[in-house]
């Protein structure tokens, strides 16, 4: 197995302390948003044999296994991250696989440069994702029941929001949500900025269920995404709890440290809370206007102490081991590639001693025995 040296991405919304504290190092004073573990071309992990991307490219079947290569191609199909949100991320959705393929082909046909800021589809893959909290972790996930949202907006006493309140009390629910989100994103920017300012002040005054949206408005004053965010469920994960984000589900991470895993893709359509391009017509085509429960996941017991986060996605499979005193050794050998990430304590993986924030790549079939006292996350595929 290969010890990984991973890149930390300094996005502006990142926490200045969370990743440093996990690693046990002094903060740099700059935002540290994500640490990437994998073979993504944007920042592949480094090993003694070269970057992980180079290692896999040299012999895909040896590293990934014939079954994974046959199913996903000669590449690691997932990206694992430590994600540390110090401020809200953009409100966003991801396409399903068919939508991604069609959107990518269309933009290629039209000659839209892959690096263009208005490009929606940078690859032909979908981007389901799962985030597991390491600390208290706040996020938005899926549309709240429109009637409850109508009550939340009505309580603000903002006259310019009353048409939205009336729409949200109408039927059918999917049409009401579509019409309100469309109205928010296509409203006059100056008028919407005034509405957001007034709504933010009311949220600050009321607190309670309104408090998360006051904080969002503090980071994004005047942004229409503040009102769009109020259509969504607010959820606070406790450590060990997780959220699965499938295609078309609007979401945003607000604050906290977590382990995130996703299919290898950069396809994001934004709804707000960002200075980046928002393609409203394409967004409305991708969003699934379905009220839903956030669906908080808790790990399910599997053999040999494994705790599994069940999802419908084959590109990744995330589980964890909470190792305790007693000297038990767990054999994690699989016929699929793995990344093992320590998030607490001290874990021995083969010949490697792992402390929080350190990791190894385990090629398919490679012997992988772990022991120690701590928490270890295992990322692999369903091949």
């Amino acid at each position: 197995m290969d010890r990984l040296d991973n890149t930390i991405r300094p996005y502006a919304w990142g926490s200045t302390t969370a990743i440093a504290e996990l690693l046990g190092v002094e903060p740099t004073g700059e935002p540290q948003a994500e640490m990437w573990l994998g073979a993504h071309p944007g920042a592949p992990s480094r090993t003694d044999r070269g970057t992980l991307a180079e290692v896999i490219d040299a012999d895909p079947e040896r590293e990934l296994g014939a079954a994974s290569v046959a199913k996903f191609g000669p590449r690691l199909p997932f990206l694992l991250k430590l994600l540390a949100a110090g401020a809200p991320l953009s409100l966003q959705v991801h396409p399903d696989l068919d939508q991604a393929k069609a959107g990518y082909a269309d933009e290629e046909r039209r000659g839209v440069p892959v690096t263009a800021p208005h490009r929606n589809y940078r690859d032909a893959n979908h981007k389901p994702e799962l985030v597991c909290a390491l600390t208290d972790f706040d996020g938005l996930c899926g549309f709240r029941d429109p009637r409850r949202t109508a009550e939340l907006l009505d309580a603000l006493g903002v006259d310019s929001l009353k048409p939205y309140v009336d729409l949200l009390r109408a039927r059918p629910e999917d049409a009401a949500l579509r019409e309100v989100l469309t109205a928010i994103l296509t409203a006059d920017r100056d008028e919407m900025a005034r509405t957001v300012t007034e709504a933010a002040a009311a949220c600050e005054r009321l607190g309670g269920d309104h408090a998360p949206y006051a904080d969002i408005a503090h980071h994004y004053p005047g942004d229409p995404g503040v009102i769009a965010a109020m259509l969504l469920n607010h959820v606070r994960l406790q450590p060990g709890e997780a959220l699965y984000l499938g295609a078309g589900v609007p979401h945003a991470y607000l604050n906290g440290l977590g382990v995130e895993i996703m299919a290898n893709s950069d396809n994001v359509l934004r709804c707000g809370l960002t200075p980046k391009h928002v393609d409203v017509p394409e967004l409305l085509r991708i969003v699934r206007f379905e009220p839903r429960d956030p669906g908080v996941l808790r790990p399910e017991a599997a053999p040999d102490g494994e705790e599994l986060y069940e999802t419908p996605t084959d590109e990744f499979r995330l589980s964890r081991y909470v190792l305790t005193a007693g000297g038990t050794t767990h054999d994690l050998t699989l016929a699929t590639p793995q990344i093992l990430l320590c998030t607490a304590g001290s874990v021995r993986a083969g010949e490697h001693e792992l402390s929080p924030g350190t990791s190894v790549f385990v090629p398919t079939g490679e012997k992988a025995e772990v022991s120690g006292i701590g928490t270890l996350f295992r990322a692999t595929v369903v091949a």
Side-chain angles (χ1 to χ4, degrees):
M1 62 181 72
D2 299 279
R3 192 178 189 93
L4 298 178
D5 179 19
N6 305 303
T7 297
I8 295 176
R9 310 305 294 260
Y11 305 135
W13 49 262
S15 168
T16 58
T17 59
I19 289 179
E21 288 176 357
L22 183 74
L23 295 174
V25 299
E26 284 295 316
T28 64
E30 299 299 318
Q32 293 182 314
E34 298 178 344
M35 185 169 78
W36 286 20
L37 298 81
H40 191 288
S45 300
R46 297 167 293 278
T47 79
D48 288 341
R49 297 189 284 159
T51 70
L52 188 55
E54 292 168 343
V55 168
I56 291 170
D57 286 346
D59 194 345
E61 288 204 3
R62 165 67 187 89
E63 305 297 331
L64 306 177
S68 181
V69 172
K71 190 168 186 176
F72 305 112
R75 61 187 181 89
L76 190 67
F78 65 81
L79 176 63
L80 185 67
K81 298 179 180 180
L82 278 174
L83 184 146
L89 281 67
S90 62
L91 193 62
Q92 59 190 258
V93 296
H94 307 301
D96 65 26
L97 189 55
D98 289 341
Q99 291 166 338
K101 288 178 177 178
Y104 180 78
D106 175 65
E107 289 185 321
E108 287 290 281
R109 179 184 56 78
R110 292 189 286 117
V112 182
V114 173
T115 56
H118 62 285
R119 174 105 184 199
N120 292 317
Y121 299 95
R122 303 187 187 277
D123 54 71
N125 200 17
H126 62 165
K127 194 173 181 272
E129 57 191 49
L130 175 76
V131 63
C132 177
L134 296 179
T135 65
D136 288 351
F137 192 97
D138 283 273
L140 305 173
C141 179
F143 289 109
R144 186 191 296 106
D145 182 314
R147 290 167 296 181
R148 290 184 51 219
T149 298
E151 293 171 2
L152 195 77
L153 294 178
D154 200 23
L156 299 176
V158 176
D159 288 343
S160 54
L161 291 178
K162 292 191 181 302
Y164 302 159
V165 172
D166 293 339
L167 284 170
L168 290 167
R169 287 173 171 157
R171 290 289 188 275
E173 293 178 336
D174 58 344
L177 289 168
R178 177 182 289 275
E179 192 166 348
V180 171
L181 183 61
T182 302
I184 292 169
L185 297 180
T186 57
D188 179 86
R189 295 287 295 192
D190 291 337
E191 290 180 7
M192 179 54 68
R194 288 191 289 272
T195 295
V196 171
T197 300
E198 193 175 347
C203 286
E204 186 78 40
R205 183 179 68 254
L206 292 170
D209 290 342
H210 294 85
Y213 307 101
D215 184 65
I216 293 170
H218 171 75
H219 289 284
Y220 296 97
D223 192 305
V226 174
I227 306 301
M230 296 188 74
L231 303 176
L232 307 185
N233 296 295
H234 172 253
V235 59
R236 169 164 286 187
L237 301 178
Q238 301 302 308
E241 295 180 333
L243 284 176
Y244 173 74
L245 292 313
V249 177
H251 62 278
Y253 302 142
L254 303 179
N255 186 270
L257 177 67
V259 174
E260 185 184 34
I261 190 167
M262 62 189 63
N264 251 334
S265 173
D266 294 318
N267 288 327
V268 175
L269 288 107
R270 294 175 176 85
C271 315
L273 310 182
T274 179
K276 295 182 179 179
H277 177 64
V278 177
D279 183 336
V280 175
E282 185 66 7
L283 171 74
L284 295 173
R285 195 177 72 82
I286 298 301
V287 170
R288 296 181 179 175
F289 291 94
E290 303 167 355
R292 61 182 295 252
D293 184 271
V296 174
L297 295 176
R298 296 170 181 84
E300 298 182 7
D304 192 32
E306 185 180 28
E307 299 177 340
L308 175 64
Y309 294 92
E310 290 276 8
T311 77
T313 299
D314 287 350
E315 281 90 343
F316 60 75
R317 179 186 186 274
L318 186 71
S319 61
R320 70 173 185 176
Y321 289 80
V322 180
L323 306 174
T324 57
T328 301
T329 297
H330 299 265
D331 185 354
L332 274 56
T333 307
L334 287 176
T336 50
Q338 306 179 68
I339 291 178
L340 305 179
L341 167 66
C342 176
T343 58
S346 178
V347 177
R348 186 171 183 84
E351 299 301 314
H352 301 276
E353 294 289 344
L354 302 183
S355 57
T358 59
S359 55
V360 292
F361 171 72
V362 187
T364 182
E366 187 89 5
K367 190 71 172 175
E369 291 185 340
V370 301
S371 60
I373 300 175
T375 302
L376 186 75
F377 280 83
R378 172 204 245 178
T380 186
V381 304
V382 181

